[in-house]
Amino acid sequence: MTDTEHRPIRTFHPRRGRMSARHADVHAALWPRFGLTVEDGDRAPLDLAELFGRAAPVVLEIGFGMGETTAAMAAADPARDYLGVEVHTPGIARLLELIKDQGLPNVRVVRADAMELVHKIAPGSLDAVHVFFPDPWPKARHHKRRLIRPGNVALLRDRLRPGGLLHCATDWPHYAAAMAETLDADPGLRCVNDDSDGSQDRARDDRAGRPETKFERRGRAAGRPITDLRYRRAA
Ligand SMILES: C[S@@+](CC[C@H](N)C(=O)[O-])C[C@H]1O[C@@H](n2cnc3c(N)ncnc32)[C@H](O)[C@@H]1O
């Protein structure tokens, strides 16, 4: 593959994370069963039922960081399968460790640029997409690196089933405003932040049902307000 054929705009800082010896052992033992690597440009369709060993609703979490939120949500929600995607090696090893420690059969860990993975997922096949505290890229010249931008949102919406949920959260007010503008502008999404229809995703607390994340804690400690934005794919 040459650069001109395929050169994605990266939404992440290249970080050279090192695994501890313990995490390296966990990784070696669990990766064959729970892990999947997606190379840039690989568009071969991904069979989610085969990956999880059953046909259940699938939640995609993009940029799970150290994986605590993914593990907590998957443990509390055994009827759905959780597909977590990250590029940060220590976080990948940590989520594998949580899978082992908590005995979570409904989590799979993908090492990939999330949007490369999304291209491999069939349209209409996700129950929900979680994007919790994506890198804010605050400088104007870096806004093109933000994950929540129109082309990516259109692709994520296409992969949701009709009625499926796109749940984003951020602690950066400027990004929150840009996210809301982008999500509102998508013709196939409907904001459900104020829904009181008793659906299972209705806000159970101020985080709309999700546990606190590591970057959320950092944002709160720095005095930044937290914004949750929830949209459903139009039926
Ligand atoms: C600011 S951290 C938030 C982590 C976690 N969600 C939390 O709230 O604590 C953003 C994470 O997204 C990951 N990330 C950014 N762009 C990504 C991409 N295109 N594919 C996969 N992971 C990505 C980064 O590696 C980083 O770990």
Side-chain angles (χ1 to χ4, degrees):
M1 183 175 64
T2 66
D3 261 11
T4 45
E5 278 170 56
H6 187 82
R7 184 164 33 184
I9 297 174
R10 297 300 189 191
T11 62
F12 48 88
H13 300 272
R15 289 187 283 172
R16 201 169 301 154
R18 290 178 68 104
M19 274 192 252
S20 65
R22 191 185 85 230
H23 277 164
D25 288 347
V26 171
H27 189 275
L30 274 79
W31 186 255
R33 171 148 183 233
F34 295 100
L36 174 73
T37 300
V38 173
E39 306 293 348
D40 287 356
D42 172 3
R43 295 288 189 267
L46 180 63
D47 185 333
L48 291 171
E50 187 184 320
L51 183 68
F52 285 97
R54 66 172 183 174
V58 175
V59 178
L60 171 66
E61 182 175 349
I62 295 180
F64 57 72
M66 296 306 279
E68 313 96 321
T69 307
T70 324
M73 293 188 92
D77 189 16
R80 293 197 293 177
D81 288 330
Y82 281 71
L83 187 59
V85 56
E86 241 314 328
V87 288
H88 184 48
T89 306
I92 288 170
R94 176 63 184 145
L95 181 53
L96 289 169
E97 187 174 46
L98 292 170
I99 290 172
K100 177 168 84 73
D101 291 350
Q102 298 180 27
L104 299 172
N106 59 333
V107 180
R108 295 294 180 273
V109 184
V110 185
R111 180 198 314 277
D113 181 323
M115 299 316 296
E116 297 289 314
L117 168 66
V118 168
H119 277 288
K120 288 169 63 69
I121 295 176
S125 59
L126 296 173
D127 198 52
V129 177
H130 295 165
V131 186
F132 298 154
F133 304 91
D135 296 303
W137 295 107
K139 292 181 183 154
R141 69 191 159 88
H142 287 150
H143 286 180
K144 61 180 182 296
R145 298 190 176 279
R146 287 177 166 173
L147 200 88
I148 298 302
R149 59 177 194 265
N152 288 349
V153 166
L155 196 58
L156 293 173
R157 181 245 302 146
D158 178 71
R159 272 34 181 184
L160 284 170
R161 66 168 173 80
L165 182 75
L166 175 57
H167 183 171
C168 305
T170 184
D171 57 326
W172 290 88
H174 284 104
Y175 196 10
M179 274 184 187
E181 194 178 322
T182 301
L183 295 165
D184 283 340
D186 188 286
L189 290 173
R190 178 175 67 86
C191 182
V192 293
N193 266 25
D194 301 325
D195 262 15
S196 53
D197 61 2
S199 67
Q200 66 170 11
D201 292 304
R202 196 181 153 234
R204 287 185 288 262
D205 58 34
D206 61 345
R207 294 188 199 98
R210 60 169 181 79
E212 187 178 52
T213 82
K214 180 177 163 190
F215 275 78
E216 176 177 10
R217 273 195 297 282
R218 279 194 196 171
R220 279 189 206 282
R224 291 192 291 273
I226 307 300
T227 302
D228 278 273
L229 294 167
R230 298 182 317 127
Y231 286 69
R232 285 193 185 280
R233 181 176 171 178

